[in-house]
Amino acid sequence: MKSGLGLFAAAVVLLAAQSALSVRTPAPARPEHRGEEWPPMPYLPVEVNYYLESLCPDCAKFAVGPFDAAIKDLEQYMKITLVPYGNTKVSDNGTYVCQHGPEECYLDLYENCVLHYTGYDVKQYWPFMKCADAIVVSRFPNVDGISKAILDACNKELPPSVDPQKVAGCAHGSLGQELLRAARFQTEFLDPPHTYVPWVTLDKKPIGENFSNISKLICAELDRLNNRGPPPPCKKIMA
């Protein structure tokens, strides 16, 4: 009997202690009760898919100009996918025929391998891609020897974790072929199909030839997706 009373008494003491604690440590006030605002919710990102060729002059101009500006201003609001393949064709014997010749075929392989070894992280791969496109802009249509010029200059832009020899091994081996095959299927199964490069889609919708306004288009899509106005960087872009 004493034991039962003792347990009951202990339970009463525990409940009293919990009650006292609940009085002494109230739940944090909601922000508006403290005269503050809730932290802003993150924006749903725009899916930006860019289908390209490594030696396409129009792709290169787009990349070093409007697209580079969009990445600088809006990268955190985008989910970016680059697909180096473009207008490449496959011959009857299964070899790839590239619009700008064999050097483009090799660079398409190399760029797919760069994307792979940088984990498809735009912060990691973009310095290399931008460097390569800047050389294309400066040299086109003289593409003889351009792949060596690009690799000599732009491998320095790869992150320290990516070994250029490993990338080259990928481009010359079965992994490169596998990555290029994946890029081919991503390109060939576009709906609607691409008709030129650069080909850019925002949330799977092609932007046509409106490349110079890519940042404004992304801001408009962010507004549509999130239904609360575009993020702060868009104020300057849309002005």
Side-chain angles (χ1 to χ4, degrees):
M1 192 72 176
K2 285 184 179 178
S3 175
L5 287 172
L7 288 172
F8 177 75
V12 170
V13 170
L14 181 59
L15 286 170
Q18 289 175 340
S19 177
L21 284 171
S22 67
V23 172
R24 290 173 188 167
T25 56
R30 290 172 63 89
E32 59 264 31
H33 293 165
R34 301 196 302 264
E36 301 173 11
E37 295 181 355
W38 284 105
M41 291 290 291
Y43 277 81
L44 291 172
V46 177
E47 289 188 11
V48 181
N49 285 21
Y50 169 32
Y51 302 85
L52 64 127
E53 295 167 353
S54 57
L55 294 183
C56 158
D58 290 333
C59 298
K61 290 172 186 174
F62 168 67
V64 300
F67 196 46
D68 183 55
I71 289 173
K72 286 177 180 174
D73 293 336
L74 300 168
E75 185 266 329
Q76 65 177 305
Y77 304 105
M78 297 187 283
K79 181 181 177 184
I80 301 173
T81 300
L82 265 59
V83 185
Y85 185 81
N87 297 325
T88 301
K89 305 297 181 187
V90 181
S91 68
D92 292 338
N93 64 7
T95 59
Y96 291 100
V97 180
C98 297
Q99 189 171 1
H100 302 99
E103 295 213 47
E104 180 171 75
C105 283
Y106 177 66
L107 284 170
D108 284 350
L109 280 164
Y110 199 92
E111 289 183 352
N112 274 288
C113 292
V114 166
L115 297 175
H116 172 76
Y117 281 116
T118 54
Y120 300 92
D121 180 348
V122 66
K123 289 186 177 69
Q124 301 295 311
Y125 68 67
W126 188 245
F128 176 92
M129 300 296 289
K130 182 181 175 183
C131 172
D133 283 324
I135 291 173
V136 174
V137 169
S138 68
R139 287 189 49 160
F140 196 86
N142 178 19
V143 296
D144 291 341
I146 196 170
S147 58
K148 182 179 185 305
I150 286 173
L151 300 190
D152 286 348
C154 303
N155 277 340
K156 300 170 188 175
E157 301 296 331
L158 291 170
S161 60
V162 177
D163 181 355
Q165 290 187 342
K166 199 169 184 179
V167 179
C170 167
H172 286 288
S174 59
L175 177 57
Q177 292 298 320
E178 182 182 330
L179 294 171
L180 191 65
R181 191 159 47 246
R184 172 190 172 188
F185 289 135
Q186 283 180 270
T187 305
E188 291 185 351
F189 281 93
L190 277 166
D191 183 19
H194 88 287
T195 52
Y196 48 81
V197 287
W199 187 263
V200 181
T201 64
L202 303 185
D203 290 328
K204 297 183 170 53
K205 299 182 291 290
I207 69 167
E209 297 185 44
N210 202 3
F211 305 117
S212 62
N213 289 318
I214 182 69
S215 292
K216 288 184 178 180
L217 295 173
I218 292 167
C219 286
E221 184 66 5
L222 282 166
D223 190 11
R224 186 194 70 80
L225 272 179
N226 294 276
N227 197 30
R228 59 188 172 107
C234 288
K235 292 179 181 177
K236 180 180 178 182
I237 292 167
M238 302 296 281

